[in-house]
Structures are given as C-alpha cells and as structure tokens.
Amino acid sequence: MDDRRMWDWLVQELTEGTEVVVQPGGVGDPVTYQAADRVEVLPEDKGIRIISFHGHGLSPAMTLHMTPARWARHLRETVEDGVEAFGTRNEGGIVEAFALFLVHLEEAVEGRRPGEDHVVLTRNGLDPLRTPPHLL
C-alpha cells in the first residue's frame, strides 16, 4: 500500500468513526476501538485536527502533526510491534500497526493534560506537545 492510500485509509477511519476489533494476542476478550467521530485534514495534508473522539467533543481540538509520508513510515516502522501486541499478521502486519496506532491515539486523547493539544508520532506511539512542532 502506498503512502497516499495509507493516509486516505486513516482519514476515512477517523472521519467515519469506524470500529476496529482486535484480538489481544489470544489473551482476554476482543477489544473494540472506535476512531474519532469528527476530524479535519489540515491544509497541504500537514496533519489532522480531531474535533470529536468516541462521541465526545474535544475542546480545544487535538491536532496530529504528520504528513502522509510520515504516517506511512510510522505504520511500516511499527508493524512488528502491532503483530506482537495482537498476535496476528494481516496485510503484512499493517492492519495490526494501524490498530496499535488507534490504541496510542486513545491513550493520548484520554491522558492529555491541559494545553497538550498537539501530538506527534514517535517510535513508541504518540507524544503530546503544548505547542505545535516547527518541523515534521
């Protein structure tokens, strides 16, 4: 899957509030994650602003600072982490990497402190920031 298709997949999942069911490596019951309910793609695809997540409005909105190329690279870099976390390998592990991202996104939204309205991708998930990053 190329970078643009991965970006479109993310935007579609986030804008439609699609549910993703993952099996936690055979340990415990399946877990269902629902992506954001309402988002906006920033101009020139420089990120995604999450306005509503799991049916709850975010005030202020949270912005994921990333480009389609950075997003696709992140998914590819976290394939093995996703496969290890969920114990499956679908589409080469990209599906599991995506599911792991959704877990990290949920943690970032639920755990954000006041003023942490900007988020960047890291090797270990997502890092909240109080100010937008200058470079992607």
Side-chain angles (χ1 to χ4, degrees):
M1 185 179 309
D2 67 16
D3 294 1
R4 175 46 69 183
R5 286 187 58 207
M6 285 186 191
W7 179 259
D8 292 344
W9 179 29
L10 172 64
V11 171
Q12 178 183 358
E13 292 293 317
L14 293 177
T15 57
E16 293 180 0
T18 303
E19 290 185 350
V20 176
V21 179
V22 295
Q23 298 282 349
V27 180
D29 295 327
V31 179
T32 301
Y33 295 98
Q34 184 166 359
D37 297 320
R38 237 179 69 207
V39 303
E40 297 172 348
V41 176
L42 299 180
E44 300 178 20
D45 291 338
K46 294 287 185 179
I48 297 172
R49 183 173 296 114
I50 300 175
I51 299 163
S52 176
F53 190 80
H54 289 236
H56 303 301
L58 301 182
S59 181
M62 179 180 268
T63 302
L64 297 170
H65 293 275
M66 60 187 178
T67 62
R70 177 66 186 104
W71 161 246
R73 187 169 67 245
H74 176 76
L75 275 190
R76 291 182 188 109
E77 290 171 350
T78 58
V79 161
E80 293 308 319
D81 295 336
V83 168
E84 183 178 331
F86 300 113
T88 58
R89 184 180 296 271
N90 295 293
E91 294 188 35
I94 291 294
V95 170
E96 288 77 12
F98 188 90
L100 185 59
F101 168 80
L102 292 179
V103 171
H104 290 153
L105 179 58
E106 183 176 351
E107 290 170 351
V109 170
E110 290 179 1
R112 79 176 178 161
R113 292 175 280 216
E116 293 180 340
D117 304 324
H118 303 275
V119 182
V120 293
L121 295 169
T122 67
R123 178 68 177 97
N124 297 319
L126 297 167
D127 278 351
L129 303 171
R130 291 187 179 274
T131 58
H134 295 294
L135 301 173
L136 288 174

